[in-house]
Amino acid sequence: MRGLTGFVARGCLLVLLSVAMLLAACDVKNISELEEGVSTEADVRERFGAPEAVWDGEDGAQIYEYNRQPAGHVNYMITIGPDGRMAALRQVLTERNFARVVPGMAMEEVRRMLGKPMKVTTYDLKRETHYDWRYMDGNNQNDSKVFTAVFDTDLRVIRTMSVPDPDLERNR
């Protein structure tokens, strides 16, 4: 029975990785067809669809969130300027952005910076909530990691951490 369970788990991981690679290939094509300052909001929506969330940006801009969690390793924030043109397209799950997540930061700030997490887990006894994002820390499949922001009961960051992706560890 244990061998079958491991086989099924490995199969599920392969399916998730295949979906993630397919999304990544589509994203690369879609991104290559967009140009900052030239592409319009309609161009962005045509290639990426409806955003997961829309955030208010500076000076009347809107920031569209395109989430690729839980199977993917990226989240995109695409800024549409007040003129209706794409001002910026950024993959936000980066070490640089993770370093900006500091104790005391509100959950909404973190969510706006990194996009929707792949998983939210509440630990009632510890009085903590963990938000996890899967990301790549290199170019190989084995470079998959999980960044976690730990929040207190007021949804303020207590601490952060990055660990190797437990899904890869479980299925080796």
Side-chain angles (χ1 to χ4, degrees):
M1 183 70 168
R2 182 176 225 170
L4 180 59
T5 303
F7 177 76
V8 170
R10 281 189 293 281
C12 289
L13 179 61
L14 287 174
V15 168
L16 279 175
L17 289 173
S18 296
V19 168
M21 289 188 317
L22 182 61
L23 273 175
C26 291
D27 284 344
V28 169
K29 180 183 183 306
N30 289 335
I31 289 168
S32 72
E33 294 174 349
L34 296 173
E35 186 177 345
E36 291 181 3
V38 175
S39 298
T40 65
E41 174 187 4
D43 295 331
V44 170
R45 285 180 176 268
E46 181 180 318
R47 284 159 185 82
F48 281 87
E52 173 82 25
V54 178
W55 305 92
D56 289 331
E58 294 181 21
D59 301 324
Q62 290 189 317
I63 302 167
Y64 289 9
E65 176 186 325
Y66 290 96
N67 183 302
R68 298 300 185 248
Q69 303 284 300
H73 291 85
V74 296
N75 280 346
Y76 297 106
M77 297 291 182
I78 300 177
T79 304
I80 305 296
D83 62 354
R85 299 206 178 275
M86 184 180 81
L89 187 156
R90 304 288 179 258
Q91 194 293 101
V92 296
L93 299 182
T94 65
E95 292 285 345
R96 182 173 176 226
N97 279 343
F98 299 150
R100 295 174 47 209
V101 178
V102 295
M105 186 178 258
M107 179 275 298
E108 190 70 14
E109 289 178 84
V110 177
R111 171 74 173 71
R112 183 177 172 142
M113 183 189 321
L114 301 178
K116 183 178 176 182
M118 74 164 177
K119 181 171 72 168
V120 176
T121 308
T122 301
Y123 297 95
D124 291 327
L125 293 177
K126 293 174 86 174
R127 302 175 53 103
E128 295 178 350
T129 300
H130 294 205
Y131 278 46
D132 296 332
W133 290 266
R134 179 173 281 123
Y135 72 102
M136 293 300 286
D137 188 30
N139 296 323
N140 298 317
Q141 178 180 327
N142 293 334
D143 295 329
S144 181
K145 288 190 172 181
V146 174
F147 173 78
T148 302
V150 180
F151 298 92
D152 63 16
T153 55
D154 294 327
L155 294 178
R156 296 272 176 191
V157 173
I158 303 170
R159 66 185 176 281
T160 64
M161 63 188 117
S162 285
V163 298
D165 188 339
D167 286 348
L168 290 178
E169 295 296 318
R170 275 192 284 273
N171 295 303
R172 285 189 183 191

